[in-house]
Amino acid sequence: MDHRSSTERPSDMRPVATTDSPWHAMPIERVYERLETTTDGLDKAEAKHRLEWYGQNELELEEEVSPFRVFLEQFASALIWLLLLAAAVMLVVSQYLDAGLILAVVVLITFFGFMQDYRAEQSIAALRDLSPPEATVIRGGERVELDSRNVVPGDLATISAGDIVPADGRVVSESNLYVDESPLTGESVAVPKSTATVAEDAPLAERRNMAYKDTTVTRGSATVVVVETGMSTEVGSIAGALEAAEVRRTPFQVEMDRLAKTIALGVALTVGIVAAVETLVGETDLLTVFLTAVSIAVAAVPEGMPAVVTLSLALGARRMVAKNALVRRLPIAEALGSVDVICTDKTGTLTEEEMTVQRLYAGGDVYEVLGGDRETEEMIPLDDEPIDSHCVREVLKCGLLCNNADIGWRENGERSFLGDPTEAALFAAASKAGLDPIDCRASYPRIDEIGFTSTRKRMTTLHRTPDDETVAHVKGAPEIVLERCTRELIDGEIRHLSAERRAEITEHVEAFAEDALRVMGFAYRPVADVSSPTAETIENDLVFLGLQGMLDPPRSEVPAAIDGCQTAGISVVMVTGDNAITARAIGEQIGLTTQTVSTGSDVETMDDDDLREAVTSTAIFARTTPEHKVRILQTLQESGHTVAMTGDGVNDAPAVKNADVGVAMGIRGTDVTEQASDIVLLDDNFATIHDAVREGRRIFDNVRKFVNYLLSGNAGLVLSIFTGSVAGVGLIITPIQILWINLVTESAPALTMGIDPEADDVMERPPRPIDEGVITDRILTSIVGIAVFMLATILPLFYLHRSNLALAQTMVFTSLIVFEGVRIQAIRWRYNLSLLSNPWLVVAVVVTLSLQLVILYTPIDVLFGVTPLGIVHWLQIGVAVAAFIVLMAVFVQIQDRIFERY
């Protein structure tokens, strides 16, 4: 093999199996040959060469987070470029102070946006690097533990229960190996593995001789020869496809860009009209015409709006992180507020993801198992009494012996369970009942095992009893176990299993399932001949012992969260791989009541029209695959819905990527899904989505309030300047004064609006329609109305002091500052918010007025071209403010009759 540095190796030099046949279809000897390795593994020198050749065994989810790239992304907004253009105009006319103020705002906007986005990307990277997985490989005949990123093709890796498979590998030896491949296939049941060659055209889920990167070993152990690493693995191929997918822009981003372009066009038209009127109709000199045009441009452009929007989104994102929702892109913080459908997984999101035995059936009696945890120190009280039933103990003992789970220890010293969650629940139930696992397994040593498969749906283990006899213990799907039983254990005696008793047991199975319990049946039989145990010779004529019903209980906070979403007009849809009965039962417990439960097979038989109808009336989809998820998502979006989609496994990534808001699980989620998402739930809890939606709505309310506030003020300025110019009275306010209002005194209260509390009914309104922008018809009329009222109250002040231009402009300048407090509260009244509900807003208004006093009564008045005001002047301003308040109050009453509240 020619070893070159990673910078020299061509991408097609990997010894891929496709030159011969797929890895799973090759004889093991051929696999070793193709990979140029042996049963002793690679030597250290060869492994080092291959690491240089193939690169590290990691997913290239994205380019490494580059501060420069994140910084450049802040300039994607049209408003930013509008501000830069305004600054350039100011430089051309030598208005350096104005230009400096605008550029300072641009720096502020980009700084806050950069810090939030970069911090979010670093948080995602920190989640991945929190606990880098290790791998055990055989090199030169010795076992070596190393960082899994250093595993290379040709390595022999050893894996056992609890391990994450480090890379794609061909199984060369195994002992009762079961692997949870749900991140790739969506199948919730662990699949058994073997060394046998598989047909070349076998689908991924049926390649039983392969172990794939990022899947988890639930039981057993194996040695695998690594065939693919990094982006060449099955997980890597999905990650690569996601990289090519287009990043969806949120409706808010589109709206803000459209608004910026509309403002720019309006500025250009207004400036053109004013310049034409003054040039053609009036006798104004060109310099005055130019200054008027510049004043209108400065007045029309909301210089502070990008900063306010960015800071509001950043503050909202911070609040979401405090509630365990990590926002990866700022605009998504708002987009959550417009979601009207949430498609969510069940396990771990709606439920605790901790299976516990809740109910037992033994000896003809049903026992409720009290206590929902897995603590092993406590006995299980059944029917409020300690267990003393021989039949119950036999059921629990069978669940403990026919079981590959074990007790382990966490780093903090706490006890934990290793193995399949179902087997861990059975193990814990027996332990809590007083059956010591170590003593029991020592008293009944295992001789052999007939493993569980998805087709057999049962597992059998052979044990030597203390009396030196052999007994088989069987567990599995209750209907499968029951059909192989001819007898049952009742009151310590073995009796004939009649048809009536079979029907009675079946009724109990159905009753358990209807209560959202996963049911398993248990049986045993003495075995005389164990020379060649097979399913045909062992798993017949069994003695039925009983049933155990396990529950993955709903999270306690989920029902209230779902009720809150439904009150807010948000449909919650459970999309799960579990069976329909369990899904319906869980749905009923958490408030998802539905007449029908659709399954994945139903989805496959539906055409587009049928599915479109189904998604509007179905709250639960069971036995679904990732492909079903994507189709359900697309159908909802095509029907005009804004959809949030949750996911954790690699196979969920396409649906998460294409959702309007993609939500990944931070605890059990895979790197690929996290990278495809917009939001990462740090606690994997559905209630966190509800809280994030609430925060998203609050953010949008605040954005809408200060956009109304900023644009209404700017519209009033533009209308006043325009009217004054056309009327021939000249500039009623100077460019520097306008810029001061827009950048400093007007923006400060707007910024504090970003932390306004939520309205009382924020989660009682229906979601915002997907085509509804920030500016609605009501807000547009508010902007126009406020502009007209400002004109009606400000121009008289200017005319009153027209003989003294500096005084007249000072009156207008100061009046506009005072008007800000009135306008901002008039806007907030519609949300039932009092002035004192936001103390920072009060501070901002006070600071704004104080700054105006500093400008009026200190030497810096020269910079702004103002003159000090006397008592009479302040009284005149007070009259104008009172008139403005009256006009606004009447106008709001008229609006309430015409428009809905918001």
Side-chain angles (χ1 to χ4, degrees):
M1 179 178 280
D2 179 19
H3 305 295
R4 312 180 207 180
S5 69
S6 59
T7 58
E8 296 176 328
R9 75 177 190 276
S11 59
D12 61 348
M13 288 301 292
R14 175 180 291 277
V16 291
T18 50
T19 57
D20 191 332
S21 59
W23 296 115
H24 58 272
M26 282 187 188
I28 291 177
E29 296 76 12
R30 179 58 178 159
V31 174
Y32 279 118
E33 180 183 343
R34 287 288 299 140
L35 292 166
E36 298 184 20
T37 189
T38 69
T39 54
D40 287 334
L42 304 172
D43 60 47
K44 294 181 180 179
E46 175 67 12
K48 180 179 180 181
H49 283 308
R50 294 196 184 192
L51 184 61
E52 294 174 351
W53 182 286
Y54 298 118
Q56 287 199 315
N57 174 36
E58 58 184 350
L59 302 182
E60 299 167 8
L61 298 173
E62 270 188 359
E63 296 178 4
E64 185 177 349
V65 177
S66 165
F68 183 67
R69 175 175 60 83
V70 176
F71 175 74
L72 289 181
E73 288 173 354
Q74 308 309 311
F75 292 89
S77 169
L79 272 176
I80 294 292
W81 290 101
L82 196 58
L83 292 183
L84 292 174
L85 178 61
V89 170
M90 289 302 177
L91 288 173
V92 170
V93 297
S94 301
Q95 299 292 324
Y96 301 115
L97 179 59
D98 300 39
L101 285 172
I102 294 176
L103 291 174
V105 169
V106 172
V107 170
L108 183 69
I109 296 167
T110 54
F111 172 76
F112 277 100
F114 165 79
M115 289 301 295
Q116 171 61 31
D117 289 354
Y118 187 57
R119 184 180 289 113
E121 292 300 329
Q122 285 184 314
S123 297
I124 295 294
L127 285 175
R128 291 197 298 267
D129 296 337
L130 187 62
S131 176
E134 292 187 343
T136 301
V137 299
I138 299 173
R139 288 185 175 171
E142 297 180 350
R143 292 166 63 93
V144 179
E145 288 188 353
L146 44 73
D147 188 323
S148 65
R149 289 173 292 191
N150 295 329
V151 171
V152 297
D155 265 330
L156 260 68
T158 61
I159 53 178
S160 57
D163 287 347
I164 295 175
V165 179
D168 287 4
R170 172 68 183 274
V171 179
V172 296
S173 67
E174 59 86 23
S175 174
N176 194 37
L177 180 66
Y178 281 76
V179 180
D180 176 6
E181 294 185 337
S182 58
L184 276 175
T185 65
E187 175 57 54
S188 60
V189 178
V191 295
K193 295 294 181 177
S194 69
T195 59
T197 302
V198 177
E200 186 169 330
D201 60 352
L204 181 70
E206 296 179 10
R207 298 173 191 171
R208 297 300 170 86
N209 59 4
M210 297 292 296
Y212 293 106
K213 179 176 171 62
D214 288 347
T215 59
T216 304
V217 180
T218 61
R219 72 177 77 157
S221 60
T223 299
V224 301
V225 57
V226 174
V227 297
E228 303 287 358
T229 59
M231 294 299 288
S232 295
T233 61
E234 291 293 335
V235 171
S237 65
I238 297 175
L242 288 174
E243 281 299 291
E246 181 181 356
V247 177
R248 295 170 62 92
R249 302 188 75 211
T250 69
F252 184 70
Q253 288 175 302
V254 174
E255 167 70 7
M256 294 310 294
D257 276 356
R258 185 179 64 80
L259 183 60
K261 293 171 184 175
T262 301
I263 291 171
L265 179 61
V267 169
L269 290 174
T270 305
V271 168
I273 292 172
V274 171
V277 170
E278 289 193 337
T279 303
L280 300 176
V281 179
E283 299 178 355
T284 311
D285 60 87
L286 290 178
L287 179 59
T288 302
V289 171
F290 181 77
L291 287 176
T292 302
V294 169
S295 297
I296 290 177
V298 172
V301 176
E303 292 88 351
M305 190 164 75
V308 173
V309 170
T310 301
L311 285 174
S312 180
L313 292 174
L315 290 171
R318 292 282 185 87
R319 289 191 292 266
M320 286 187 182
V321 169
K323 296 177 180 178
N324 292 316
L326 176 64
V327 178
R328 301 188 63 234
R329 292 188 295 140
L330 278 185
I332 291 298
E334 175 278 329
L336 262 174
S338 61
V339 165
D340 61 354
V341 177
I342 300 175
C343 293
T344 176
D345 292 325
K346 178 184 72 69
T347 304
T349 305
L350 300 175
T351 63
E352 296 283 0
E353 198 184 15
E354 184 172 275
M355 197 76 74
T356 55
V357 174
Q358 300 282 306
R359 197 174 299 171
L360 284 163
Y361 175 80
D365 296 319
V366 175
Y367 302 87
E368 294 293 332
V369 181
L370 305 181
D373 55 29
R374 288 186 181 173
E375 291 298 326
T376 60
E377 288 80 6
E378 300 178 2
M379 293 280 287
I380 302 180
L382 301 178
D383 285 348
D384 297 325
E385 296 291 337
I387 298 174
D388 59 0
S389 167
H390 173 72
C391 294
V392 169
R393 286 191 175 277
E394 288 301 312
V395 172
L396 293 171
K397 185 174 71 174
C398 181
L400 177 61
L401 294 175
C402 188
N403 193 322
N404 289 309
D406 207 342
I407 290 181
W409 302 92
R410 298 189 179 98
E411 291 182 359
N412 60 7
E414 293 181 356
R415 189 193 304 258
S416 65
F417 290 91
L418 303 177
D420 180 82
T422 299
E423 292 197 333
L426 299 174
F427 188 105
S431 299
K432 286 194 290 186
L435 294 174
D436 185 277
I438 297 176
D439 290 346
C440 187
R441 288 180 171 180
S443 299
Y444 294 83
R446 182 180 298 187
I447 301 172
D448 207 342
E449 173 183 336
I450 304 174
F452 176 92
T453 68
S454 57
T455 54
R456 283 170 34 81
K457 296 184 180 180
R458 62 188 182 277
M459 171 186 177
T460 299
T461 54
L462 295 177
H463 300 265
R464 182 71 63 188
T465 71
D467 298 328
D468 202 29
E469 296 177 349
T470 302
V471 64
H473 287 285
V474 182
K475 78 171 189 294
E479 66 277 10
I480 299 297
V481 172
L482 191 58
E483 71 180 7
R484 293 176 173 271
C485 293
T486 58
R487 298 165 291 169
E488 64 175 326
L489 185 66
I490 299 287
D491 294 330
E493 298 179 359
I494 297 177
R495 301 178 183 176
H496 171 68
L497 183 60
S498 65
E500 291 78 9
R501 289 286 299 131
R502 288 180 186 274
E504 183 180 334
I505 294 169
T506 300
E507 288 178 2
H508 285 297
V509 171
E510 293 173 354
F512 279 25
E514 287 173 359
D515 288 336
L517 300 179
R518 181 181 183 185
V519 190
M520 297 201 77
F522 299 85
Y524 86 105
R525 63 162 288 190
V527 180
D529 181 12
V530 293
S531 58
S532 56
T534 64
E536 288 73 19
T537 60
I538 301 296
E539 297 172 340
N540 290 299
D541 192 27
L542 300 177
V543 178
F544 182 77
L545 292 175
L547 307 169
Q548 291 193 55
M550 287 153 282
L551 176 68
D552 181 9
R555 291 176 180 263
S556 59
E557 61 273 27
V558 164
I562 288 180
D563 181 65
C565 287
Q566 293 171 340
T567 301
I570 301 170
S571 299
V572 179
V573 180
M574 180 198 300
V575 186
T576 178
D578 273 344
N579 67 71
I581 295 178
T582 300
R584 182 196 293 274
I586 289 291
E588 290 175 351
Q589 292 181 27
I590 61 178
L592 287 183
T593 55
T594 179
Q595 295 296 320
T596 59
V597 175
S598 296
T599 63
S601 58
D602 295 333
V603 173
E604 291 174 359
T605 60
M606 294 178 186
D607 59 24
D608 292 344
D609 291 336
D610 290 338
L611 184 58
R612 191 174 297 110
E613 182 178 347
V615 295
T616 61
S617 59
T618 304
I620 298 174
F621 288 88
R623 288 298 188 210
T624 57
T625 66
E627 291 74 19
H628 298 146
K629 266 191 172 184
V630 172
R631 191 175 173 211
I632 292 169
L633 167 68
Q634 292 173 341
T635 302
L636 286 166
Q637 290 175 326
E638 290 167 1
S639 300
H641 294 285
T642 303
V643 186
M645 174 71 75
T646 73
D648 50 14
V650 175
N651 53 353
D652 291 330
V656 170
K657 182 81 170 181
N658 290 295
D660 297 287
V661 179
V663 183
M665 303 297 113
I667 297 176
R668 71 181 191 279
T670 58
D671 293 347
V672 175
T673 308
E674 287 175 2
Q675 201 65 46
S677 69
D678 302 303
I679 292 177
V680 178
L681 300 186
L682 303 181
D683 59 358
D684 290 8
N685 193 340
F686 178 85
T688 301
I689 304 177
H690 171 267
D691 293 341
V693 169
R694 176 188 292 273
E695 188 61 44
R697 291 191 175 192
R698 171 186 177 182
I699 290 170
F700 187 79
D701 277 356
N702 291 343
V703 168
R704 180 170 272 174
K705 281 185 284 186
F706 60 65
V707 166
N708 186 353
Y709 172 70
L710 292 174
L711 292 186
S712 62
N714 286 27
L717 269 173
V718 170
L719 185 59
S720 300
I721 296 169
F722 177 82
T723 304
S725 300
V726 172
V729 300
L731 286 176
I732 69 170
I733 189 170
T734 66
I736 186 64
Q737 292 169 353
I738 296 170
L739 198 59
W740 176 259
I741 292 173
N742 284 355
L743 291 183
V744 182
T745 59
E746 194 171 64
S747 295
L751 281 172
T752 59
M753 271 187 173
I755 58 173
D756 249 0
E758 63 190 41
D760 292 339
D761 63 348
V762 70
M763 290 299 282
E764 296 174 6
R765 306 176 223 146
R768 188 176 82 254
I770 193 170
D771 58 348
E772 180 180 292
V774 175
I775 300 178
T776 60
D777 291 341
R778 173 162 187 158
I779 292 177
L780 183 60
T781 60
S782 292
I783 292 171
V784 174
I786 289 173
V788 171
F789 301 150
M790 287 175 65
L791 172 67
T793 52
I794 287 174
L795 275 186
L797 292 175
F798 183 85
Y799 271 98
L800 187 62
H801 301 281
R802 184 179 178 186
S803 58
N804 184 343
L805 182 60
L807 177 59
Q809 291 176 333
T810 302
M811 290 290 287
V812 172
F813 180 32
T814 304
S815 297
L816 290 171
I817 298 296
V818 176
F819 277 18
E820 288 174 3
V822 177
R823 285 193 298 114
I824 202 167
Q825 188 53 35
I827 292 169
R828 297 174 76 250
W829 274 334
R830 295 177 185 169
Y831 297 82
N832 289 332
L833 297 176
S834 67
L835 180 63
L836 298 179
S837 63
N838 186 347
W840 288 106
L841 178 59
V842 177
V843 172
V845 172
V846 171
V847 169
T848 295
L849 293 174
S850 300
L851 289 174
Q852 185 65 15
L853 295 177
V854 170
I855 290 173
L856 292 176
Y857 301 108
T858 66
I860 66 171
D861 59 354
V862 177
L863 294 175
F864 292 89
V866 297
T867 186
L869 300 179
I871 296 296
V872 174
H873 301 135
W874 283 107
L875 290 174
Q876 292 169 347
I877 292 174
V879 172
V881 170
F884 182 75
I885 291 174
V886 172
L887 290 172
M888 279 296 304
V890 174
F891 185 65
V892 168
Q893 293 297 319
I894 295 173
Q895 280 188 312
D896 285 343
R897 295 182 180 181
I898 299 174
F899 301 102
E900 294 183 5
R901 183 174 174 191
Y902 296 98

